[in-house]
């Protein structure tokens, strides 16, 4: 057997340690602040509809001193979206409400919808990162956060709170039926309060939830919503090339941890990878912080069933 010298082992160990330190430094100092706007087109509107531009923001995890993040968010108003959707976890500090409101800037003057997440209600606390790999780990809640003040500020500027509420609105000439639930991650969702088919006169039906838990997504899909928007996952936050996200921190599979996907036969899902991180886990790797500009367009007309398809079951026809 070949003899490996002690010096060679030491050099290998030092190299591995150096690479680990460099990776942590990159994830915490560079990528965590490398904000990016992602643009996605989603075909969810009726045939003949004009397009609708929706800015999806989530998981700011704001603290008062995060000036770079605040400035980047303020600049998003230049996109002139038709609608702004915020899916929660705005706060990470008792005094962060003014920073969030100022960072939203002109976006608060545009039509907006929101629901809250766990880190609007409770401050983040230090935890063992390995707990994210256990879905049934015991949750520890931090100090209560001033979510009522944030809700009042959003409402005062005209944004609509969809927490266990159904609301209809018109944006850029499109009639929209909306509904939302409180954070499923905290077991606060009460879907029965908004259950049932949305307004049949609506041209678009949007559901909101902070955490994209399958039990909630299933209910939105069953009720006929075209699009469900969620956050919470941070896109996995740590993503390994060739493997993907290590965890989703909720019940969805890793293939849906961020971006658009289909949920059921009719409903489209969009999960934001979010803008921030917990102050106790300030790093991202291969998963840049983001907001998303969704361009909603008309869905292509459905292909009529052929004579051959008419003899198949519904599931067989879809598979074809």
């Amino acid at each position: 057997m070949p003899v490996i010298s002690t010096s060679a082992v030491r050099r290998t160990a030092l190299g591995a340690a150096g690479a680990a330190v460099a990776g942590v430094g990159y994830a915490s100092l560079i990528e965590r602040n490398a904000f990016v706007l992602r643009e996605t087109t989603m075909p969810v509107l009726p045939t003949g509809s004009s397009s609708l531009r929706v800015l999806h923001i989530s998981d700011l995890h704001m603290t008062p001193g995060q000036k770079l993040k605040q400035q980047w968010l303020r600049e998003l108003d230049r996109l002139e979206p038709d609608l702004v959707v915020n899916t929660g976890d705005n706060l990470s500090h008792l005094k962060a409400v003014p920073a969030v409101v100022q960072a939203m800037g002109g976006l608060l003057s545009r039509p907006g919808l929101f629901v809250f997440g766990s880190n609007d209600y409770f401050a983040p606390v230090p935890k063992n990162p390995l707990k994210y790999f256990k879905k049934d780990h015991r949750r520890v809640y931090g100090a209560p956060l001033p979510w009522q003040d944030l809700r009042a500020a959003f409402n005062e500027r005209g944004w609509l709170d969809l927490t266990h509420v159904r609301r209809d609105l018109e944006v850029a000439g499109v009639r929209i039926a909306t509904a939302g639930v409180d954070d499923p991650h905290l077991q606060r969702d009460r879907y029965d309060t908004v259950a049932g088919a949305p307004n049949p006169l609506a041209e678009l039906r949007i559901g909101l939830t902070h955490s994209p838990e399958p039990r909630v997504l299933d209910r939105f899909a069953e009720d006929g919503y075209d699009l469900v928007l969620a956050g919470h996952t941070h896109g996995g936050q740590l993503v390994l090339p060739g493997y993907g996200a290590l965890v989703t921190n909720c019940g969805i599979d890793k293939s849906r941890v961020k971006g658009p996907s289909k949920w059921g036969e009719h409903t489209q899902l969009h999960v934001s990878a979010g803008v921030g991180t917990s102050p106790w886990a300030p790093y991202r790797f291969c998963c840049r912080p983001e907001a998303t500009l969704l361009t909603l367009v008309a869905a292509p007309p459905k292909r009529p069933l052929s004579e051959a398809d008419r003899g198949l079951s519904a599931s067989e026809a879809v598979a074809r």
Side-chain angles (χ1 to χ4, degrees):
M1 294 181 62
V3 177
I4 301 176
S5 68
T6 302
S7 61
V9 171
R10 185 181 296 112
R11 285 195 300 271
T12 301
L14 289 173
V21 170
V24 171
Y26 167 80
S28 60
L29 299 176
I30 298 177
E31 186 164 327
R32 179 172 64 94
N33 295 306
F35 306 107
V36 63
L37 176 72
R38 187 162 51 81
E39 299 192 32
T40 298
T41 299
M42 301 190 74
V44 295
L45 294 174
T47 302
S49 297
S50 300
S51 62
L52 191 70
R53 288 156 53 87
V54 177
L55 180 64
H56 185 189
I57 298 173
S58 196
D59 298 85
L60 306 184
H61 291 282
M62 189 71 75
T63 62
Q66 293 176 324
K67 304 301 183 185
L68 184 64
K69 181 194 296 184
Q70 293 161 27
Q71 179 59 36
W72 185 79
L73 287 166
R74 276 192 291 271
E75 293 174 357
L76 294 176
D77 186 50
R78 298 178 183 176
L79 299 171
E80 300 184 349
D82 300 308
L83 177 67
V84 183
V85 174
N86 181 315
T87 47
D89 271 11
N90 296 276
L91 307 175
S92 277
H93 192 280
L94 287 168
K95 297 182 179 180
V97 170
V100 171
V101 174
Q102 291 168 17
M104 291 294 95
L107 293 174
L108 287 171
S109 298
R110 302 185 183 278
L113 310 170
F114 69 94
V115 291
F116 283 154
S118 58
N119 284 151
D120 292 302
Y121 299 118
F122 302 103
V125 295
K127 67 171 67 175
N128 182 345
L130 295 178
K131 286 187 175 182
Y132 285 106
F133 293 89
K134 295 179 61 179
K135 293 183 179 180
D136 58 348
H137 69 270
R138 186 175 67 88
R139 294 188 177 91
V140 178
Y141 302 116
L145 291 173
W147 61 271
Q148 298 97 328
D149 295 341
L150 185 61
R151 182 180 64 180
F154 284 173
N155 286 161
E156 185 178 297
R157 298 293 294 274
W159 280 15
L160 302 179
D161 182 359
L162 290 191
T163 305
H164 296 149
V165 172
R166 293 166 54 148
R167 295 180 183 270
D168 293 349
L169 66 156
E170 184 172 316
V171 176
V174 178
R175 291 173 294 181
I176 308 175
T178 66
V181 296
D182 209 345
D183 187 11
H185 187 63
L186 293 181
Q187 307 293 324
R188 295 173 70 128
D189 53 300
R190 302 291 181 268
Y191 190 88
D192 285 344
T193 61
V194 295
N199 186 344
L201 298 178
E203 299 163 271
L204 174 65
R205 294 154 287 272
I206 298 178
L208 264 62
T209 177
H210 175 64
S211 179
E213 295 295 346
R215 67 175 183 274
V216 174
L217 302 179
D218 286 345
R219 297 291 299 275
F220 276 125
E222 289 165 5
D223 282 342
Y225 282 84
D226 304 299
L227 175 63
V228 180
L229 302 178
H232 178 70
T233 65
H234 296 192
Q237 194 164 322
L238 298 178
V239 175
L240 298 183
Y243 177 81
L246 298 180
V247 295
T248 66
N249 198 26
C250 63
I252 61 171
D253 58 275
K254 289 186 288 186
S255 69
R256 306 173 195 267
V257 72
K258 70 173 181 178
S261 61
K262 199 168 183 182
W263 194 270
E265 185 177 349
H266 175 75
T267 302
Q268 299 284 332
L269 170 67
H270 184 266
V271 179
S272 171
V275 179
T277 65
S278 166
W280 302 106
Y283 37 74
R284 282 178 176 260
F285 190 77
C286 292
C287 185
R288 291 172 65 179
E290 68 175 37
T292 308
L293 184 64
L294 303 173
T295 300
L296 308 185
V297 299
K302 293 182 179 179
R303 178 179 67 86
L305 291 179
S306 66
E307 290 300 322
D309 288 335
R310 294 182 194 282
L312 302 175
S313 68
S315 60
E316 289 173 322
V318 170
R320 265 195 165 188

